[in-house]
Amino acid sequence: MIYPATKAVSNEMVATPSRWLQLFDPPADTVYTIEAAAQLAGVPRRTILVYCKHRLLSPLLDTGVEGYSFDGDGIRSLRRIEALRTVCGDDFGGIRIILDLTKELERLQAGSEPDGRTEPDGRIRSR
């Protein structure tokens, strides 16, 4: 006799580390030191410095805080970079391209027109 394969299904939740992007919505005027940014993103401080060196992440300028500091957008970018590293590994050039394309897509979805050559519906204006 042939018995059908069966699977045991459990509803028990198992705690596992996750690299999924989590909701992060800080107050607009919050500034974080590099140490705080590292803790919020769960990455070593040195990794943040490497991302800055490869121009994947930009610290804030002239915040009155000594050393590198980041705002909420910087923390979101840091988390996005970390999520992309799970897919791209250490291919910083590839990550940079994805970040640039994502930024451009967000700009287009917001409807901003930097060069004035497109109509609001996305068609290119004739000259």
Side-chain angles (χ1 to χ4, degrees):
M1 174 172 254
I2 300 175
Y3 295 101
T6 60
K7 284 188 179 180
V9 177
S10 172
N11 291 331
E12 185 178 315
M13 296 295 290
V14 178
T16 58
S18 174
R19 288 290 186 190
W20 291 37
L21 292 178
Q22 298 171 355
L23 181 61
F24 180 73
D25 195 21
D29 58 348
T30 305
V31 175
Y32 301 94
T33 63
I34 190 169
E35 289 81 11
Q39 188 173 23
L40 284 169
V43 298
R45 183 178 180 272
R46 177 146 174 74
T47 300
I48 295 174
L49 295 173
V50 169
Y51 293 162
C52 291
K53 178 183 175 185
H54 288 277
R55 297 184 314 158
L56 297 175
L57 186 66
S58 298
L60 296 174
L61 302 174
D62 195 28
T63 60
V65 177
E66 189 174 317
Y68 286 99
S69 59
F70 302 90
D71 59 3
D73 288 336
I75 303 298
R76 279 187 284 278
S77 294
L78 182 55
R79 288 180 167 190
R80 185 175 285 168
I81 292 165
E82 281 298 299
L84 288 170
R85 279 198 65 195
T86 62
V87 177
C88 300
D90 289 336
D91 181 11
F92 295 132
I95 292 172
R96 172 88 181 189
I97 290 170
I98 293 170
L99 291 173
D100 289 345
L101 289 172
T102 303
K103 188 175 183 179
E104 180 67 11
L105 179 63
E106 289 169 351
R107 184 191 62 77
L108 289 171
Q109 288 175 340
S112 61
E113 304 167 20
D115 59 6
R117 292 182 15 203
T118 57
E119 298 290 342
D121 63 1
R123 293 179 295 140
I124 297 175
R125 286 188 188 139
S126 58
R127 293 183 185 197

